[in-house]
Amino acid sequence: MSSSSPSSYDLIVIGAGPGGYVCAFRAAQLGLRVALVDKRPTLGGTCLNVGCIPSKALLHSSEHFVWAKHHANEHGIKLGSVELDLPAFLRRKDDVVAKLVAGVAQLAKARKVTVVTGAASFLAADRVAVRAADGTEQVLTAKNVVVATGSAPVELPFLKFDGKTIVSSDHAIAFDSVPKKLVVVGGGAIGLELGSVWSRLGSEVTVVEFLPKIVAAYDDDIARNFTRILQKQGLKIETGAKVTGLTPAKTGGATLLAERDGQKLSFSADKILVAVGRRPFTDGLGLEKAGVELDEKRRIKVDSHLRTRVPGVWAIGDVVAGPMLAHKAEEDGVAVAEWIAGKAGHVNWDLVPAIVYTNPEVASVGLGEDAAKAAGRAVNVGRFNFAANGRAIAAGAVDGYVKIIADAKTDRLLGAQILGHNAGELISEVVAHMEYGGSAEDLARTIHGHPTMSEAVKEAALAVSKSALHAI
Ligand SMILES: Cc1cc2nc3c(=O)[nH]c(=O)nc-3n(C[C@H](O)[C@H](O)[C@H](O)COP(=O)(O)OP(=O)(O)OC[C@H]3O[C@@H](n4cnc5c(N)ncnc54)[C@H](O)[C@@H]3O)c2cc1C
């Protein structure tokens, strides 16, 4: 069923994830009439509904569980028996998500962004049909259309998601019981975060990674130390293991088959979480009707201003090249809104921080030491251990260290990697210094509150010129 006349806007944004809704909000701030379309009944996309936010809620709750069970007594706190109430544990996560998606809906209303619920597909570059779940269809028109349709979990050919034994992150944020044995395929952020959650709740977790190390983008020393810490927490980590097949078990569950250096490996599991990455999602969008091109990795092809080759059609976030991260999608969204409104948008894609929210966290920005050296750059590296930081000792968070990488000749900051509690918060100041072209000395001479874990960042910056004050 089609509505009679099309509704016309200045901008249609397809996809209400962090890329799309932020783009819509910025465009509305700049005076554009905006329609924001999503096939999900709630706004916020992958990030708020099944990604960043629910995973962080679960990480926080499971951290409290471990603390109550194993660490409260270190602080002289006696709790008695500590038990998991899984339905309540999951309900809290659902409440956090519900609060945030409602907040985004409220913001959309306040900004007079028209929210349209349904699956969008192009009829032409400036015409989009939106089909609601009940089959009704409406047509929207606009001079500018931003595609922000995000990504979906990658499925392996012999590990098709069945939602029961072979699962994606969408399922692993909502298991209705704690699996006895959980195998996680993929040692990246999503696999390690969700693996940590279920391990903390009592699962025997094995991470199977194809590459020689987990968190492959990080320096070898960070990955090695991080691996050791996770192993101490109870995670089994099998690197260099190529998954080759699956034998389903008659009683439920399955055995995952793998190979390392010609040796056969097998891992029995109640559930297998496949977390090997995400693919750009353009299914059903009818991009061919608009004339929009994909690249070799099936991402929407855009130029340096996020324009597709079709005038008026733009693409942002996970559906284009670049790190698949919410904050990157948001910055894309702001810049495109500004470009459309005739303003000077800007994104510095060289400075997108990346964070794994385990405990401790790992965080990075810019060039790592290994990558800098592999590129033949002369660098000075400063390192400072949290074990020598007063606040870290007081908090019982001494695992890990800060690494600052600076150009050997100019002292300009090139990057940082942090393994430690709240590393994701600590990395921000390095990003800010780098954004302004700062040097290690600038960072080292910046006054940091005492006692804070951020003093370890200052000390690592001092260590670049071998002048750390609280290390030998
Ligand atoms: C478990 C997990 C944890 C994560 N944790 C983090 C984290 O901690 N930090 C971080 O930065 N990133 C994290 N991410 C990644 C982050 O979620 C994505 O990078 C981010 O959501 C991308 O935003 P986006 O706006 O490009 O797309 P998405 O958030 O994927 O939103 C796209 C939206 O488009 C809609 N859509 C698609 N096709 C159509 C159509 N044809 N019509 C209408 N609507 C459509 C979808 O329904 C969806 O709501 C995580 C992801 C997962 C899965």
Side-chain angles (χ1 to χ4, degrees):
M1 199 177 94
S2 287
S3 71
S4 44
S5 61
S7 309
S8 150
Y9 295 89
D10 297 322
L11 169 65
I12 300 166
V13 181
I14 306 176
Y21 87 71
V22 166
C23 178
F25 289 4
R26 182 71 185 124
Q29 275 178 346
L30 295 171
L32 303 186
R33 285 189 61 236
V34 185
L36 176 61
V37 187
D38 205 297
K39 58 185 182 180
R40 270 200 173 88
T42 51
L43 303 179
T46 302
C47 178
L48 267 62
N49 290 281
V50 292
C52 327
I53 297 299
S55 59
K56 262 82 263 176
L58 296 177
L59 281 158
H60 278 291
S61 295
S62 59
E63 242 179 274
H64 287 311
F65 182 64
V66 167
W67 185 86
K69 223 173 156 144
H70 301 296
H71 300 293
N73 60 345
E74 292 164 17
H75 297 263
I77 301 169
K78 286 193 180 159
L79 290 174
S81 89
V82 175
E83 280 163 41
L84 175 69
D85 176 351
L86 187 61
F89 180 93
L90 295 175
R91 212 176 310 122
R92 178 185 181 273
K93 176 254 315 178
D94 294 338
D95 290 347
V96 169
V97 169
K99 188 169 182 172
L100 280 163
V101 297
V104 176
Q106 210 178 351
L107 290 172
K109 200 170 165 196
R111 286 174 168 74
K112 300 193 168 40
V113 167
T114 303
V115 173
V116 183
T117 305
S121 63
F122 280 96
L123 299 172
D126 59 352
R127 284 170 83 82
V128 171
V130 182
R131 179 175 277 268
D134 65 4
T136 54
E137 198 170 276
Q138 57 177 307
V139 175
L140 314 177
T141 64
K143 217 170 116 199
N144 287 287
V145 180
V146 173
V147 182
T149 48
S151 59
V154 168
E155 209 170 36
L156 294 176
F158 47 86
L159 290 176
K160 296 260 181 225
F161 299 127
D162 60 19
K164 231 177 131 226
T165 304
I166 316 292
V167 300
S168 74
S169 57
D170 291 0
H171 311 110
I173 56 169
F175 290 153
D176 56 12
S177 63
V178 178
K180 203 164 167 302
K181 288 185 177 186
L182 172 67
V183 168
V184 178
V185 182
I190 294 176
L192 294 174
E193 289 178 11
L194 292 175
S196 288
V197 166
W198 294 104
S199 161
R200 291 168 187 173
L201 300 187
S203 287
E204 192 183 295
V205 175
T206 306
V207 177
V208 180
E209 167 60 54
F210 171 67
L211 294 171
K213 64 181 185 188
I214 58 167
V215 288
Y218 285 79
D219 285 344
D220 282 351
D221 63 296
I222 293 266
R224 203 173 43 247
N225 285 299
F226 184 39
T227 300
R228 221 173 281 149
I229 292 168
L230 292 176
Q231 284 169 333
K232 241 170 84 188
Q233 292 174 4
L235 275 85
K236 293 195 179 123
I237 296 182
E238 300 281 352
T239 52
K242 184 177 182 217
V243 172
T244 52
L246 182 86
T247 313
K250 283 201 183 82
T251 49
T255 300
L256 183 77
L257 307 173
E259 213 176 79
R260 179 168 48 213
D261 305 329
Q263 232 190 341
K264 294 205 180 327
L265 307 169
S266 67
F267 308 98
S268 68
D270 302 300
K271 294 200 185 285
I272 298 172
L273 164 60
V274 181
V276 294
R278 296 181 59 85
R279 66 173 175 92
F281 186 82
T282 55
D283 302 7
L285 250 184
L287 286 176
E288 62 292 345
K289 290 200 185 135
V292 172
E293 261 186 321
L294 300 182
D295 69 10
E296 71 293 347
K297 292 188 173 161
R298 302 200 59 74
R299 302 170 295 202
I300 295 182
K301 210 168 167 177
V302 285
D303 66 11
S304 61
H305 279 56
L306 301 166
R307 290 175 292 221
T308 68
R309 67 170 190 174
V310 182
V313 182
W314 314 66
I316 61 172
D318 279 12
V319 82
V320 301
M324 286 180 159
L325 292 169
H327 41 284
K328 181 264 183 188
E330 288 187 31
E331 294 307 319
D332 285 0
V334 169
V336 163
E338 291 174 348
W339 285 320
I340 290 172
K343 303 229 173 283
H346 170 77
V347 190
N348 186 351
W349 285 296
D350 291 333
L351 288 187
V352 180
I355 300 150
V356 184
Y357 295 84
T358 42
N359 187 13
E361 297 180 350
V362 283
S364 67
V365 65
L367 270 187
E369 180 183 7
D370 294 351
K373 288 184 175 161
R377 296 191 72 149
V379 291
N380 288 330
V381 179
R383 178 176 155 158
F384 191 83
N385 293 333
F386 286 110
N389 172 275
R391 184 66 185 278
I393 294 169
V398 293
D399 279 338
Y401 52 93
V402 180
K403 276 176 87 175
I404 301 287
I405 297 100
D407 187 283
K409 215 163 140 196
T410 64
D411 195 42
R412 192 181 171 122
L413 290 165
L414 298 177
Q417 302 207 347
I418 306 177
L419 167 66
H421 183 68
N422 273 348
E425 304 287 344
L426 297 176
I427 200 78
S428 293
E429 72 159 318
V430 186
V431 181
H433 275 275
M434 289 180 72
E435 191 63 51
Y436 297 121
S439 64
E441 186 179 349
D442 291 326
L443 185 50
R445 287 188 185 275
T446 301
I447 300 177
H448 290 67
H450 175 77
T452 61
M453 290 185 70
S454 72
E455 287 171 289
V457 178
K458 175 190 168 83
E459 289 276 0
L462 281 167
V464 167
S465 55
K466 302 200 180 352
S467 40
L469 292 164
H470 292 87
I472 301 157

